Amino acid sequence: MSPFSLLCVAANVQLLAEFEQELAPLLGHFALVVVVGQGSAELALDELDRKGQPPAVVVCDSELGDGRGADFLIRLGSRHEACRKILLGSQPEMKSIIEAVNLGRLDYYLQRPWRDGSLRRAVIEQASHFVLQRPEADLLSYAAVLDNQKLLRAHVDRQLAAYRQGFMDYTHCSDEELSRVVIDGLYQFFEGNDEERVCRHYSPGHVLTREGEPNSFLWFIAKGEVVLRKRDEQGSDQEVVHYRTGSLVGGMSFVTGEPAFTTGVTLTGAEVIKLDKLQFSRVMQARSELLPSFTNLLLRHFNRRLQNSIRTEMRLQQTLSSLDAAHAQLVESEKMAMLGQLVAGVAHELNNPVAAIIRGSETLRAAIPDLVNLELPASIKGLGNQTLCQALSSQPVSTSEIRDKTRQAEGRFGDRQQARLAVQMNLDDELNWQRWFASRTADEREALLSRLELFQQTGSFLRNIEVCARRIGDLVKSLKQYARQDRAEPSLVDLHEGLEDTLMIFENRLKHHEVCKEYQPLPLVRCHPIALQQVWTNLIANSLDAMSGPGRLTIRTGLLDPEWVMVEIEDSGCGIEPELWQRIFDLNFTTKREGHFGLGIGLSVSLQIVQQHHGRIEVASEPGRYTRMRVCLPLDGMGQAGYGGEPHHNKEHAA
């Protein structure tokens, strides 16, 4: 049943038949009701109210036999204020019509007899206005018969507004409120449609996730309590945290695909919603309004997970008395401290690509309806598609090259603006000139280029969105690489990859400096790659902090002999004073200037990591000129050192 109706009122049956014929294309989306006279119209309105089909548009002839059409439409305004009112007449009483229109009691006047579909166009215009004022209306369904461009643009605006509002609103909600929104939405979705038993009830002691084993489910705790347990080094299960109503279980392993971090067990009788990836995707596609609230909930869950992990690590470390355990805690503390800095920098760096994506999506929102509705010959449309695809795959061109090509093409086109557009779309050569432009007048060329520019801009913005999305992915990948844990066993690693990942994380700070990479071919090194990345991170961070203004960061790699490699990180910063040489690797010592973060453990931890790989760190510095840190590693870094004796570090002042 159509949610809205069209009511047509006249004094004779012949006119009603004309109404039906004219408005037939709208029948699939509106209920069409045609009646004779005011009395029948009032009864029809009562019936429409009973059916829940309010009139979107009422078309009324000026003379109804039992009264004037204008008076009927004016009275209708008090009953159905939102509906649009069209008056049809052959000899209008201009004074009363003008007064009614000026007072907003009528929306449109059409002279009878109408011609060339003018009545249908008037009804479409007014019905579009009505639908746009109804928040519950499905704009996409009406776009097929009403004002396509206007409805599509409004639909995109609504979706963007809802998406943004979702994130903005839910950030002010408590965890409990946010959880309730998501859980209630899930229950509504699966109500009467739960053949796979997504909504379940468990008795106490039911295992949801098991530490170290794969987990392919996301568990929402609708009622009850769940305890998470983790094995300590003695193999005993330690309670880590209690989850209550509204919590998520298995979120990290569900998203990353990694084994479950803890064992989750119901502590009480519990009602849960158990989703696998397919079910989750189905829910989010059908109920996209849940995505902002779920995203916020998941981010909060990950934050709590991180906090709980830190607390758990600290609690487990308290049971250990060995020096190795204390050292591991020190390394992790330094790593998390540095991670905090890196997260802040990456968050700042994400602003630009995110802003570019938003700008691109807003531009495409306005451009796509125009592109869809553009009527072009097949050949021109093909050229447009070619221009769009080329813009998608093209690489940026320097402004000087564009200027040179524009000057060359200006001789053909006789207009600099046209020449510039042709160059941007790679249509400035002789072949394209003869095929598409030579036979056209200047005005025709301008019109053609204007249409092709719409294709080119669409492709260009899509390409920019793709580039920005890949940029975000690279940043997140690099940060994730730093944050993850090393495997217990060392592996063969390309040191250059770790250096590049580290540079990616610091890209926001590096744009103020010159970066010189002097890489030599290196064999694979057996090591713990994440631990070494922490070393690169500490050394590069120190170098950047040492350069108060624009400077130069140089990274060198090379072979010392067939069994040893070296990585040098050199900056053009303030250098290290001679009296501090003996202290820079001491625990809790820092030379960081005011305004720079420093715990005094970065170099100490870096040295220990390098020594664990049976390597050493050599330092050379001159105050006011440079500092150079050289890390020397054996190819089998986890074996026995064979170069230069026992593991050590050299501190040399280079004049």
Side-chain angles (χ1 to χ4, degrees), residues 363-406:
T363 303
L364 290 174
R365 179 193 67 193
I368 287 177
D370 294 335
L371 193 63
V372 171
N373 295 325
L374 198 61
E375 296 183 0
L376 297 172
S379 60
I380 303 300
K381 192 171 184 179
L383 179 61
N385 292 333
Q386 175 186 327
T387 304
L388 190 151
C389 294
Q390 183 174 316
L392 275 171
S393 59
S394 64
Q395 298 298 319
V397 181
S398 67
T399 55
S400 61
E401 185 176 349
I402 292 177
R403 284 196 302 269
D404 293 339
K405 287 188 173 184
T406 300

Side-chain angles (χ1 to χ4, degrees), residues 289-356:
E289 72 276 7
L290 290 177
L291 184 58
S293 54
F294 170 77
T295 302
N296 276 274
L297 185 63
L298 192 63
L299 288 174
R300 296 184 189 187
H301 171 75
F302 286 171
N303 181 58
R304 287 193 301 270
R305 162 72 181 276
L306 179 60
Q307 294 174 352
N308 291 333
S309 297
I310 295 173
R311 288 195 293 267
T312 301
E313 182 68 19
M314 294 178 64
R315 192 178 302 116
L316 293 174
Q317 292 292 346
Q318 292 174 358
T319 66
L320 305 176
S321 59
S322 67
L323 183 60
D324 290 340
H327 171 259
Q329 183 180 357
L330 180 65
V331 172
E332 189 64 20
S333 298
E334 194 279 336
K335 183 176 180 179
M336 295 305 298
M338 180 60 70
L339 184 61
Q341 293 186 82
L342 297 177
V343 168
V346 170
H348 179 78
E349 185 66 17
L350 288 175
N351 284 337
N352 288 335
V354 168

